[in-house]
Amino acid sequence: MKVACLTSNLVFAASLIAGALANPLITREQALETVAKALAERATPQAPDGYTPEGVNCPSTRPSIRSAAQLSPEERSWLSQRRNNTVPAMRDLLGRLNITGFDVNSYMDRVSNNASALPNIAIAASGGGYRALMNGAGAVAAFDSRTSGSNGPGQIGGLLQSATYLAGLSGGGWLVGSLYVNNFTSVQSIIDASPDDSYNLWQFQNPIYQGPERTGIQLLDSAGYFTNIYQTVEGKEDAGFNVSITDYWGRALAFQLVNATEGGPAYTWSSIQTDPAFSQANAPMPILVADGRAPGEQLISSNSTVYEMNPWEIGSWDPTVFGFAPMRYVGSNFSGGALPANQDCISGFDNAGYVMGTSSSLFNQALLMLNTSSSDSGVLRDALTAVLSNIGEDSNDIADWSPNPFYHYNNDSNPNAASKRLTLVDGGEDLQNIPLYPVIQPERHVDVIFAIDSSADTVLPDGTTTGWPNGTSLVATYQRSLNPTIENGTAFPAVPDQNTFINLGLNHRPTFFGCDSSNQTGDHPLVVYLPNAPYVYNTNFSTFDPVYNISERNAAIMNGYDVATMGNGTVDSMWPTCVGCAILSRSLERTGTQVPDVCNMCFERYCWNGTIASELPNPPYNPSLILEDQAVDVTSGAAAGETFSKMAVVGMAAIAAAVLAA
Ligand SMILES: *[C@@H]1O[C@H](CO)[C@@H](O)[C@H](O)[C@H]1NC(C)=O
Ligand SMILES: *[C@@H]1O[C@H](CO)[C@@H](O)[C@H](O)[C@H]1NC(C)=O
Ligand SMILES: *[C@@H]1O[C@H](CO)[C@@H](O)[C@H](O)[C@H]1NC(C)=O
Ligand SMILES: *[C@@H]1O[C@H](CO)[C@@H](O)[C@H](O)[C@H]1NC(C)=O
Ligand SMILES: *[C@@H]1O[C@H](CO)[C@@H](O)[C@H](O)[C@H]1NC(C)=O
Ligand SMILES: *[C@@H]1O[C@H](CO)[C@@H](O)[C@H](O)[C@H]1NC(C)=O
Ligand SMILES: *[C@@H]1O[C@H](CO)[C@@H](O)[C@H](O)[C@H]1NC(C)=O
Ligand SMILES: *[C@@H]1O[C@H](CO)[C@@H](O)[C@H](O)[C@H]1NC(C)=O
Ligand SMILES: *[C@@H]1O[C@H](CO)[C@@H](O)[C@H](O)[C@H]1NC(C)=O
Ligand SMILES: *[C@@H]1O[C@H](CO)[C@@H](O)[C@H](O)[C@H]1NC(C)=O
Ligand SMILES: *[C@@H]1O[C@H](CO)[C@@H](O)[C@H](O)[C@H]1NC(C)=O
Ligand SMILES: *[C@@H]1O[C@H](CO)[C@@H](O)[C@H](O)[C@H]1NC(C)=O
């Protein structure tokens, strides 16, 4: 059946090629393009046997591991198109941002045929569960010219279309993954859809522990849903692969994030390669992040090996692993950087839900939070502890990517080279909760990073978390960039300690870091820090809050929109202009162009100037709505937070039980 399917696809492709070539009026290129298009539309479920990885014919050049000394050839060739494609979007955006005294068109004319002069923009969406997905979604909607109203005065729509990279981590990875796995859909299309449209994205009122409603394209009741998750993962295990809780978790997540029947068990991450928007370089390059951690090992935040997962590859720039494996063929038995002649090419391992689940291997995070939170979660803690102790305490958060593609690769530096097993965990576990890692790699030459921080850092003196960011993630990335054994050429702007973030309000409004490029050695990007703050809705939900009704979801997304636009410029009418100045800053410098006065005003207003105020914040940070008069009225459903303990026990226990049964 699977073979037949694959074959029929090939026959279909062959017939298209033959048909197209037989037509003398079209060129070979056009014919191939037709085929690519036809296949692209059916490309996403590319795995040969649903969730179960399976042997396929190897390509004529056998897959291998490459050194991280350069960008991949695929990325380089994609970039040559992408950088060009950002030009019209950037011209349009900058033209709308009212940069007084600056002739956008003549500047863009000057730099548009020279990629090293053109601004190179990245966006990074942090982790933090559904809170991060929703807050990040609001910001991405504000950046997306497809959002209605995003191109008006006070608006910054078009930034997404101008960007080269879009990185996501954990909950931010669900956001990024949702867009790319679903044909680069928009946040607006997702929230505008009515649940009656057999639409199943972001239906957070149907929590993971229950599954989708029995309408729409999923057509499963709770029992069917759990059975389906269980059986797909069992298929992978029966085929000889080690499965971990992340397999169940990723499959469950996919029901909310992949718009296909049964969460699209055959949808692979590498299939984004053939997605039309991405392959034609009309969308930025999506990258998710995870950390390497062996079972039982303690993650040291300043020197852990960090992995990125992009549509072509998984691997690490760190001087430890320093290599990349082809995403499409992970699961194959690589050894010493090659795939031995007697080994099959395995495909289908890189299930899209599994990749998103790996970046968000949330169970351990749940445990970490429960261990440090004060009181009300005793029952849950006990239940999880009991269930997970059966599975193996040291493996509860692990995503098993065995067989290790980097087995015997870089033996001298790779601490995991002798292991057949590669285990990854949530990218936020090393405290670098914003996925800055892929976009500060020197090979990528990023000029400016829009860093959306939806972390829940802040705590009151009595230990209660209040759920807002306090700069912890930037501090972690900055410190790592100073560690000579691991930084490997990455440079990051100086940032202050967390108390200073709070005392100076740097976690309450956008702040630029690294404005003065000469202050530090090494090319470092300018970082536009966009901390989650309450404009029209209090979006400091618990990271592990599993259920939101549609009205709460939309209010949170609206608040994220206001975070990125500063309330559509109503809090500061200069803000949109300052976004433009941040985009241009490094490019102006490289081209020796004078900085417009209005930009100097922006930098004075938004750049952190090196001031430190490290005393304990007093009073502690506990903000009220910035736009009180425009507070969004939310029809309350299952109130977020309150019902958490009870429901999460049910859900996590159900999935854990399935694991035990396996
Ligand atoms: C993907 O999106 C593009 C652009 O919106 C659209 O033209 C195309 O029909 C979509 N493809 C599928 C298979 O939905
Ligand atoms: C553009 O910015 C200038 C200040 O540089 C300001 O006086 C003017 O009102 C702004 N125009 C719009 C349309 O916002
Ligand atoms: C990008 O633009 C430059 C200059 O306009 C042009 O020379 C180059 O061929 C373009 N690259 C691609 C891949 O279209
Ligand atoms: C989701 O799938 C439905 C049914 O196939 C389709 O109508 C809708 O456009 C899809 N949505 C996205 C965002 O791809
Ligand atoms: C990371 O630091 C710890 C503690 O200093 C050390 O034991 C470990 O070997 C280091 N790992 C790497 C990869 O440098
Ligand atoms: C990064 O690490 C690799 C492998 O250790 C090394 O060859 C390379 O020179 C390093 N790059 C920089 C910029 O230090
Ligand atoms: C599965 O994990 C075990 C350790 O629990 C390891 O010994 C074994 O090699 C792994 N199997 C595969 C196929 O990677
Ligand atoms: C900042 O966040 C970290 C956790 O990320 C927390 O340990 C620390 O107490 C916080 N500091 C303040 C003042 O909120
Ligand atoms: C900002 O603009 C968006 C889109 O036009 C609108 O929906 C929203 O209500 C506005 N928010 C504020 C605070 O003005
Ligand atoms: C491209 O821009 C860079 C940076 O401004 C400059 O050094 C280089 O000379 C330019 N190349 C061309 C061909 O203009
Ligand atoms: C630096 O910023 C602080 C507030 O963050 C301000 O009080 C101080 O005057 C500024 N210093 C300079 C030299 O601009
Ligand atoms: C300039 O660099 C120094 C040394 O890295 C750092 O301590 C300081 O905070 C930086 N200043 C700014 C404004 O980034």
Side-chain angles (χ1 to χ4, degrees), residues 409-538:
Y409 186 74
N410 282 342
N411 287 327
D412 293 343
S413 59
N414 177 2
N416 196 42
S419 174
K420 281 285 225 180
R421 207 172 174 201
L422 173 64
T423 48
L424 305 178
V425 296
D426 193 300
E429 285 192 36
D430 67 353
L431 300 183
Q432 300 190 86
N433 200 32
I434 310 175
L436 297 160
Y437 174 85
V439 292
I440 60 172
Q441 293 306 324
E443 286 295 314
R444 291 203 165 114
H445 301 292
V446 169
D447 290 327
V448 55
I449 304 171
F450 287 82
I452 306 158
D453 195 358
S454 315
S455 304
D457 293 327
T458 51
V459 286
L460 299 178
D462 71 359
T464 323
T465 59
T466 44
W468 303 106
N470 71 12
T472 292
S473 172
L474 295 185
V475 170
T477 298
Y478 176 50
Q479 281 172 352
R480 194 177 195 271
S481 79
L482 300 177
N483 178 350
T485 66
I486 200 80
E487 53 87 13
N488 208 25
T490 56
F492 196 73
V495 298
D497 63 286
Q498 289 97 319
N499 286 350
T500 297
F501 266 86
I502 295 176
N503 289 327
L504 300 185
L506 310 181
N507 69 331
H508 189 57
R509 57 174 164 78
T511 304
F512 300 170
F513 294 98
C515 291
D516 177 1
S517 70
S518 66
N519 187 47
Q520 262 168 281
T521 49
D523 273 354
H524 57 288
L526 188 149
V527 173
V528 176
Y529 182 57
L530 299 170
N532 179 22
Y535 280 75
V536 294
Y537 191 54
N538 281 307

Side-chain angles (χ1 to χ4, degrees), residues 13 52 87 115 153 172 174 241 249 262 280 285 352 387 444 451 590 601 615 635 649:
T52 303
V87 169
W174 308 343
F241 294 90
W249 172 240
E262 294 172 2
Q280 291 160 28
M285 175 171 160
V387 174
R444 291 203 165 114
R590 274 200 304 277
M601 281 167 66
E615 63 279 7
T635 55
V649 169

